[in-house]
Amino acid sequence: MIAGVTGQDGAYLAELLLDKEYEVHGIKRRSSFFNTARIDHLFNDVHETGKPFYLHHGDMTDSSSLTRIIQKVQPDEIYNLAAQSHVAVSFEEPEYTANLGALRILEAIRILGLEKKTKFYQASTSELSGSSTGSPAKGNHAVFYPRSPYAVAKLYAYWITVNYREYHLTKRYFKMKELTPTGDWSLSFLYADCFFVILF
Ligand SMILES: Nc1nc2c(ncn2[C@@H]2O[C@H](COP(=O)(O)OP(=O)(O)O[C@H]3O[C@H](CO)[C@@H](O)[C@H](O)[C@@H]3O)[C@@H](O)[C@H]2O)c(=O)[nH]1
């Protein structure tokens, strides 16, 4: 299952997982205009090749919709890439950007008793470092210094995932690692491979 499947990295990930013969379920927000340009070709594939790609209407601000979809799909893996990911916009819409989507998914997994079945991947960002000179990729939490509402939101998602892993769920079944991109977006199609490898 992919939250944020209509975004850049979510679409790449859907493609990768379908190539690996996964059944892929994406969560997308209801919109009165078309917002599936990045994944339309996957739907075409479904009709041509029968690849199992399904979309569900759900919003990261709506716990009940997330819980309902997760209960129905019973996913083996959930990748949370949903975010208001634009740093400048996050200063204009800080509350919307703060979205507690990661927490809502983690709560759904816990409430539905899926801790031992469902692996969870939380997409992170190099923005966690902010004005720090260090890098969280080296495993040093002390270098986190978010400098935008977007980075603060992602830092909350990071820590709530760490906390759920350590206090609610068993380490054996619940994995979390952060992927810190280099900032070279031309390589973004490779990120999906990293997400996949991280869960295994
Ligand atoms: N269903 C749902 N989707 C949402 C919501 N809020 C945002 N989204 C979706 O989340 C997706 C985010 O996609 P992008 O803005 O294109 O981000 P990205 O480039 O794919 O980056 C994502 O992954 C990076 C790591 O690889 C992250 O660094 C980045 O923050 C983001 O999570 C968009 O399709 C957006 O519509 C919500 O409440 N509900």
Side-chain angles (χ1 to χ4, degrees):
M1 172 174 283
I2 304 172
V5 72
T6 56
Q8 173 187 265
D9 296 354
Y12 282 131
L13 180 62
E15 207 168 315
L16 177 96
L17 295 178
L18 286 169
D19 283 347
K20 292 184 182 296
E21 303 194 336
Y22 272 54
E23 178 177 307
V24 177
H25 294 257
I27 305 175
K28 73 178 277 276
R29 283 175 295 181
R30 167 80 181 103
S31 167
S32 58
F33 56 89
F34 295 111
N35 59 354
T36 55
R38 287 194 176 98
I39 50 174
D40 283 345
H41 66 291
L42 300 177
F43 272 121
N44 292 337
D45 278 356
V46 174
H47 294 125
E48 288 161 17
T49 66
K51 284 188 181 176
F53 182 51
Y54 306 96
L55 282 183
H56 305 261
H57 286 299
D59 198 295
M60 301 306 289
T61 63
D62 180 358
S63 297
S64 59
S65 70
L66 294 174
T67 306
R68 173 182 53 77
I69 297 165
I70 293 169
Q71 183 174 37
K72 184 176 171 193
V73 174
Q74 302 272 312
D76 295 315
E77 298 160 22
I78 300 178
Y79 298 83
N80 181 25
L81 277 66
Q84 190 302 97
S85 64
H86 197 287
V87 173
V89 170
S90 78
F91 286 94
E92 306 296 327
E93 300 184 11
E95 188 178 329
Y96 173 67
T97 303
N99 187 330
L100 299 176
L103 173 64
R104 294 189 178 104
I105 292 176
L106 289 164
E107 272 294 272
I109 293 171
R110 187 180 69 82
I111 289 165
L112 294 170
L114 294 173
E115 303 98 316
K116 293 185 177 175
K117 172 179 170 62
T118 306
K119 295 176 187 169
F120 178 65
Y121 174 90
Q122 171 58 35
S124 201
T125 170
S126 60
E127 294 286 329
L128 297 190
S129 308
S131 57
S132 163
T133 52
S135 167
K138 294 183 180 140
N140 183 355
H141 300 316
V143 301
F144 290 154
Y145 197 146
R147 300 289 281 170
S148 69
Y150 165 69
V152 172
K154 284 288 184 174
L155 189 56
Y156 177 82
Y158 170 86
W159 277 118
I160 199 66
T161 305
V162 171
N163 271 258
Y164 269 63
R165 179 183 61 183
E166 293 178 353
Y167 295 107
H168 289 303
L169 306 169
T170 67
K171 282 186 181 177
R172 182 174 167 201
Y173 291 102
F174 187 80
K175 300 181 180 181
M176 196 288 305
K177 290 180 183 175
E178 70 271 23
L179 173 67
T180 304
T182 60
D184 182 353
W185 289 11
S186 65
L187 297 176
S188 57
F189 66 96
L190 294 176
Y191 295 173
D193 292 88
C194 301
F195 307 155
F196 180 75
V197 169
I198 279 171
L199 272 193
F200 285 88

